[in-house]
Amino acid sequence: MSYVFTPPAPVAVPVAGRPEKFPVHRIYCVGRNYEDHAKEMGFTGREPPFFFLKPADAVLVVAEGETGTLPYPSLTKNFHHEIELVVAIGKGGRNIAAADAFAHVFGYAVGLDMTRRDLQNEMKKQGRPWSIGKGFDHSAPIGPIVPREQAGDVEKAEIWLQVNGADRQRSTVAKLIWSIAETIEHLSAAWELQPGDLIYSGTPEGVGAVVPGDLLEGGVAGIGTLRLKVA
Ligand code: MN
C-alpha cells in the first residue's frame, strides 16, 4: 500500500503498568451529566443524554508523573476547564445493554474536556454546531489509562480539579446523571462502539476559565492525577 503522503502515527494513550499503548479510535463526550453543572449552565433536571465528538488527535497525552503543556488556543477569551472521568472502550458493539456495559470497558483515565466557552456559547445561541468550542486541537488532555481490574470502584470515586492549588471542582462520580453503564447503552444505540473509543463522561460543577501560566491539577480517586500548565 502506498499513500499520497505519509499517514500520521496512530494517536495512542499510555496504559498504567503496561508497555502497550491504547490506540484511540474516537472521542465521544457526554454533555451536562452532573446536575449541579447542568444548573450552572442554565439547565435543570434529567434530560436524555446527549453527545458530541472531538477528533481523536485532539488528545494531549500527559505521562505519569509529568506536567503537560496545554497551549492556550486561538480565538477565545474564555478558556474553560472541565475535569472528567474518561471511559476507555476495549470491546466494541452496538445496542449494548447497561447490564452488559462493563464487559466493554478496558479501563479509565483522568481527562479534561477543555472548552472555548465564549465560542461554544455563541454557537449555542445561534443553534450552530459546537465543534469550534469543543473540538479544537489539544482540547482533550488525558492521563494514563488504568485497566478496569485495577481501578477500584470508580462509580463512587471523588473527582476534583485545582487551579494554582485552589479548589475549582470537587464532586463524586456517584453524582453522574447518566451512569457509565447507562451512557454506554445510549451511546451504542446511536453509534457502533469500537475498541479504542474514549468517552468523556461529563463534568461536575465549578467550571471556569484559565489563563497562560495557570497550573491545572485534577484527578479521580483510584485512577490518578493529571497535571498541566497553560502555555
Ligand atoms: Mn464536558
Side-chain angles (χ1 to χ4, degrees), residues 5 19 37 48 53 97 102 104 110 124 135-136 159 177 216 227:
F5 55 85
H37 172 62
L53 287 95
F102 288 107
H104 295 261
V110 180
K124 272 187 199 172
F136 53 95
I159 180 169
I177 295 172
L216 287 83
R227 197 176 303 109

Side-chain angles (χ1 to χ4, degrees), residues 18-228:
R18 281 174 57 168
E20 306 96 342
K21 290 189 171 182
F22 180 94
V24 178
H25 177 247
R26 289 183 186 160
I27 304 174
Y28 296 101
C29 302
V30 188
R32 300 195 286 264
N33 204 15
Y34 287 82
E35 191 179 348
D36 288 338
H37 172 62
K39 283 179 182 160
E40 76 182 349
M41 301 308 287
F43 298 85
T44 53
R46 178 168 156 123
E47 57 188 333
F50 69 93
F51 307 102
F52 58 92
L53 287 95
K54 294 181 187 247
D57 66 356
V59 154
L60 193 172
V61 169
V62 182
E64 178 124 43
E66 282 187 0
T67 301
T69 300
L70 176 61
Y72 195 93
S74 62
L75 303 180
T76 186
K77 292 185 175 65
N78 199 13
F79 185 36
H80 270 206
H81 55 75
E82 295 190 359
I83 189 75
E84 308 204 358
L85 169 69
V86 181
V87 181
I89 297 294
K91 183 180 149 208
R94 65 177 78 190
N95 296 319
I96 299 165
D100 304 325
F102 288 107
H104 295 261
V105 173
F106 171 80
Y108 302 97
V110 180
L112 280 162
D113 166 16
M114 296 305 299
T115 303
R116 294 193 282 208
R117 191 72 72 199
D118 43 358
L119 302 185
Q120 184 203 20
N121 286 343
E122 188 57 32
M123 293 299 113
K124 272 187 199 172
K125 209 160 50 184
Q126 296 186 32
R128 290 179 177 173
W130 289 8
S131 302
I132 200 168
K134 287 289 195 179
F136 53 95
D137 296 341
H138 316 297
S139 61
I142 189 169
I145 294 170
V146 177
R148 183 163 56 101
E149 317 75 68
Q150 296 161 35
D153 190 2
V154 287
E155 292 190 281
K156 295 193 183 80
E158 184 174 41
I159 180 169
W160 57 277
L161 179 89
Q162 295 185 328
V163 177
N164 302 325
D167 263 24
R168 288 278 187 93
Q169 298 185 266
R170 190 170 291 275
S171 187
T172 162
V173 175
K175 289 191 173 174
L176 276 175
I177 295 172
W178 297 95
S179 71
I180 295 162
E182 290 170 330
T183 295
I184 289 171
E185 178 172 307
H186 282 271
L187 196 55
S188 67
W191 289 272
E192 181 174 356
L193 292 182
Q194 300 287 345
D197 288 337
L198 297 175
I199 306 168
Y200 282 61
S201 59
T203 197
E205 69 278 13
V207 301
V210 290
V211 296
D214 281 349
L215 180 70
L216 287 83
E217 213 171 351
V220 176
I223 308 298
T225 302
L226 180 62
R227 197 176 303 109
L228 292 137

